[in-house]
Amino acid sequence: MRGGGEGEGGAEERERVAQEVKHMFSFDYLRSDAVQAITHVPRDNDTMSDTEEVPLNKFIQYLDTPKENRQKKNLYGKDIRCPEVWRRFVFENKAILPRFIYKGKGDLLAELPPKMRALSLMVYIGDHGTFTPCHQDLCASLGHNLMVCADRSQPSPVETLVQMSNEQLEARIDQQRKRGIYQTHDEVAKSEAYSMWCVFPPKQLSEIKKFWNENGGFMEADNFYISLEALSKSNFKTILIEQRVGDLVLLPPLAPHQVANENGKSAKVAWNTMPYKAISDSYQCLADYRSFGKAQIYRIKAVAYYSLKNRVEALDKRQLSITSQVLEELLVLLRLVVDIYNQDWIESADFDPKIEVVNYIRDNSEEKHTRLCNFCSCDIWNRWYTCDRCSRTENTVDCCLDC
């Protein structure tokens, strides 16, 4: 009789899965024809301007070229459509906690009708010398950034753990617990590319923006990176994070941050979610977006409306149980929706029938809640003005009530 433990079949299956994962999250995969349909517009970090659209596999070939042989030295791959196999692996293998899943159960952005949902699942690829300037994630959303691929001279943590038996894994965890860390900085720095994050506390936002202005930047423009040397002279806290393969960075709503890619090329999957606790801050920041003429993208007013509507309908159909969290969500959403209605409210007396310049029209189209103001770029939720003369042409002009 053989003793307990895993048979050869289990070890072979682990090895097969490990090899599939290794190939899937590799630059060899990104060089292949499997991603040739994915195109994007790289950002030139030296000029902070966008370049021409290129296929993803051609961009990886550019990164493989030594910098001295490149015409443009520091192109950064941003806002790249995520390969479907990556999306399935990351979100369908229970590797991410349910509340952090893209368009998952706890994400209010998923409450919108499918045609209205903004795409925030993106891939970012850069090599040493490229960076993301300081910015805040859109509309006070919760940011998630998972490094899935990096230049390295040894197996990644993900591959190593997949290949281990249960006994080996337990021994490794025990070893980590005794050491208190996964790997030392020196061990990693010599073996793989990583990203250095500078994250700043939202509570000191006014001081941070003032510091950026004093150093020649403007945070709302998303085009200025401040060195660590300059940051050392600031009077606000800077949180440094070294992100390596397998590390998931969570960014609190409204937290300004900048990222530098170090020691080789790396690829990260990034997405945003909207927990109910963040939507009040999201609504408050819309005024700033309007003042800067910055597109809101996530349609926060419609998100609040549909989130409340969906919960009320689920309660009516007894598809949702009344819990303390559900009650808290309803209260938060109800307060926002009431304020949204008040902002769009027009007394009937204001529509004087003697004034022929104003005609009341009802929007029954499928594009309801999807209009943008042509003057400040804000989302139009319900009420707006439109030029009757222009609407007869292709150049429709819509104007929000504030403008």
Side-chain angles (χ1 to χ4, degrees), residues 7 33 63 69 131 154 158 183 235 278 374 385 395 401:
D33 293 338
L63 294 179
N69 297 333
F131 59 88
Q154 65 181 32
V158 174
Q183 284 178 301
N235 58 357
N374 287 79
Y385 291 103
N395 300 316
L401 298 189

Side-chain angles (χ1 to χ4, degrees), residues 137-141 254 279-291 296 300:
D137 279 9
L138 279 172
C139 296
S141 57
L254 296 174
I279 194 168
S280 295
D281 288 333
S282 301
Y283 183 61
Q284 293 299 322
C285 76
L286 297 185
D288 288 337
Y289 276 57
R290 182 177 173 273
S291 65
Q296 298 166 10
I300 299 303

Side-chain angles (χ1 to χ4, degrees), residues 13 15 17 59 78 109 111 126 130 174 217 294 333 402:
E13 176 65 14
E15 176 63 23
V17 172
F59 178 69
K78 66 179 189 66
L109 299 178
E111 301 284 352
T130 60
D174 186 59
K294 188 174 181 178
L333 294 169
D402 288 323

Side-chain angles (χ1 to χ4, degrees), residues 60-75:
I60 301 301
Q61 293 175 18
Y62 157 84
L63 294 179
D64 292 335
T65 305
K67 285 200 176 188
E68 59 269 19
N69 297 333
R70 301 178 191 171
Q71 184 176 0
K72 296 182 177 180
K73 307 298 184 184
N74 293 299
L75 295 187

Side-chain angles (χ1 to χ4, degrees), residues 341 344 363 368-369 371 379-384:
Y341 268 104
D344 274 13
D363 185 5
K368 195 178 295 183
H369 309 306
R371 296 175 183 271
D379 290 327
I380 293 174
W381 178 68
N382 185 31
R383 301 273 195 182
W384 79 99

Side-chain angles (χ1 to χ4, degrees), residues 209-316:
K209 289 185 176 182
K210 181 181 178 182
F211 186 79
W212 247 253
N213 293 339
E214 291 172 348
N215 283 270
F218 181 57
M219 190 176 295
E220 278 72 17
D222 296 355
N223 63 3
F224 195 75
Y225 183 97
I226 291 187
S227 67
L228 291 178
E229 182 180 359
L231 283 172
S232 66
K233 302 173 184 177
S234 68
N235 58 357
F236 50 81
K237 182 185 293 185
T238 299
I239 301 168
L240 298 180
I241 303 172
E242 290 187 5
Q243 181 192 28
R244 307 179 184 97
V245 171
D247 288 343
L248 173 65
V249 176
L250 297 175
L251 295 159
L254 296 174
H257 56 280
Q258 61 181 25
V259 190
N261 300 308
E262 306 284 353
N263 210 36
K265 59 182 180 291
S266 60
K268 299 183 280 287
V269 176
W271 66 98
N272 293 87
T273 59
M274 182 63 65
Y276 79 92
K277 290 186 177 181
I279 194 168
S280 295
D281 288 333
S282 301
Y283 183 61
Q284 293 299 322
C285 76
L286 297 185
D288 288 337
Y289 276 57
R290 182 177 173 273
S291 65
F292 295 123
K294 188 174 181 178
Q296 298 166 10
I297 307 297
Y298 290 154
R299 303 193 176 280
I300 299 303
K301 293 181 179 181
V303 168
Y305 168 74
Y306 279 105
S307 297
L308 179 62
K309 178 174 179 288
N310 293 344
R311 280 159 176 73
V312 171
E313 290 178 350
L315 286 169
D316 286 343

